[in-house]
Amino acid sequence: MRQKLTLVIFIGLVGVASATFPLPRSYAEAYPAQELRAQESPDEAKIRELREQEMTQLRITLGRREGQNRRADLYFRFAEIYLEAYRSAYLLEGRVHDKRLAANVADSQIDHSYSRPNLERGIKASEDILKSGIPFDKLDQVHYFLAYNYGELGDRKKSLAYFEQIKNRFPQSPYAGVALKELGDEAFAARDFRRALELYEQGLLR
């Protein structure tokens, strides 16, 4: 009975931890870790290790009872780190692909199984800030993280929705120019040339 109760408590704790900061989804590892690490420079490896150490400290801090403003700051830093991690991993995947091709190893396209989970984690961290509903002075950047990450995941609809929010809610943001260009490109692709021109002109006036 005692062992069963302990197991139930353990499962409950894992569930709480996963809800607060979900474990990564299982991805097929197209490029083995050893192959990826071989493409990493000593400086890049050091930066990755420092990034992982910071994330560990952030998780510890997040596990404590913190005020909502403090939690928003922590989630924002998570979103920043995950974007940095995604871009670093993306480069490594490209290098592995290039090396395979140079060695005449079949690799029809770059597999991004290694980098993509960082986008999903960044989305989760950013959405947690929005769900908190507290005033936060970097909401424009939070919306940019969401627009960018969804775009990289291939969800153009959600990406454009967040760019639209940047345009409407944060017209003075440094990210408004990027939003206007993305929306303009979408209008142009849809052959709505009048709207595309308006959006491009707004972007040029910034």
Side-chain angles (χ1 to χ4, degrees):
M1 181 68 182
R2 181 180 233 168
Q3 289 180 337
K4 184 181 285 187
L5 181 60
T6 302
L7 179 60
V8 169
I9 293 172
F10 174 75
I11 293 172
L13 288 172
V14 169
V16 171
S18 297
T20 303
F21 206 80
L23 296 173
R25 286 170 44 192
S26 178
Y27 282 85
E29 188 179 79
Y31 300 142
Q34 184 177 1
E35 200 170 351
L36 288 160
R37 293 289 172 263
Q39 299 305 312
E40 205 174 40
S41 72
D43 285 344
E44 288 171 331
K46 189 176 297 183
I47 290 171
R48 175 176 51 79
E49 291 169 3
L50 290 172
R51 188 187 299 125
E52 291 170 355
Q53 290 172 16
E54 182 180 1
M55 289 171 68
T56 298
Q57 291 303 314
L58 286 171
R59 288 191 185 94
I60 293 171
T61 304
L62 194 59
R64 301 177 186 143
R65 291 185 178 275
E66 299 283 346
Q68 284 296 319
N69 288 339
R70 177 61 174 151
R71 291 179 71 85
D73 286 331
L74 294 172
Y75 283 126
F76 183 83
R77 183 58 188 143
F78 269 123
E80 284 186 312
I81 293 174
Y82 283 133
L83 184 54
E84 294 168 7
Y86 166 71
R87 288 171 171 165
S88 297
Y90 190 96
L91 290 174
L92 291 181
E93 290 165 333
R95 292 174 192 169
V96 170
H97 175 74
D98 290 343
K99 186 169 183 179
R100 287 187 173 191
L101 292 181
N104 294 319
V105 175
D107 199 30
S108 60
Q109 62 183 13
I110 303 175
D111 186 275
H112 294 295
S113 305
Y114 176 66
S115 60
R116 284 171 63 89
N118 290 300
L119 295 169
E120 295 181 343
R121 295 169 191 147
I123 287 171
K124 175 64 170 62
S126 299
E127 287 179 341
D128 283 339
I129 297 173
L130 298 185
K131 288 175 184 176
S132 71
I134 65 170
F136 189 63
D137 61 1
K138 296 179 181 177
L139 283 179
D140 60 332
Q141 193 169 352
V142 173
H143 281 75
Y144 172 76
F145 288 151
L146 288 164
Y148 179 87
N149 288 9
Y150 274 120
E152 290 293 290
L153 285 172
D155 193 333
R156 185 69 173 161
K157 184 176 180 180
K158 285 187 178 180
S159 177
L160 291 170
Y162 282 110
F163 278 129
E164 187 74 37
Q165 288 194 51
I166 293 173
K167 177 178 79 71
N168 295 334
R169 295 178 56 188
F170 312 102
Q172 303 306 315
S173 166
Y175 298 99
V178 178
L180 290 165
K181 181 187 181 302
E182 290 292 331
L183 294 168
D185 289 347
E186 183 66 16
F188 188 87
R191 302 187 68 80
D192 187 347
F193 301 124
R194 179 175 295 180
R195 174 169 165 76
L197 182 59
E198 290 174 354
L199 290 164
Y200 289 144
E201 286 179 341
Q202 290 178 46
L204 288 174
L205 291 173
R206 292 192 49 73

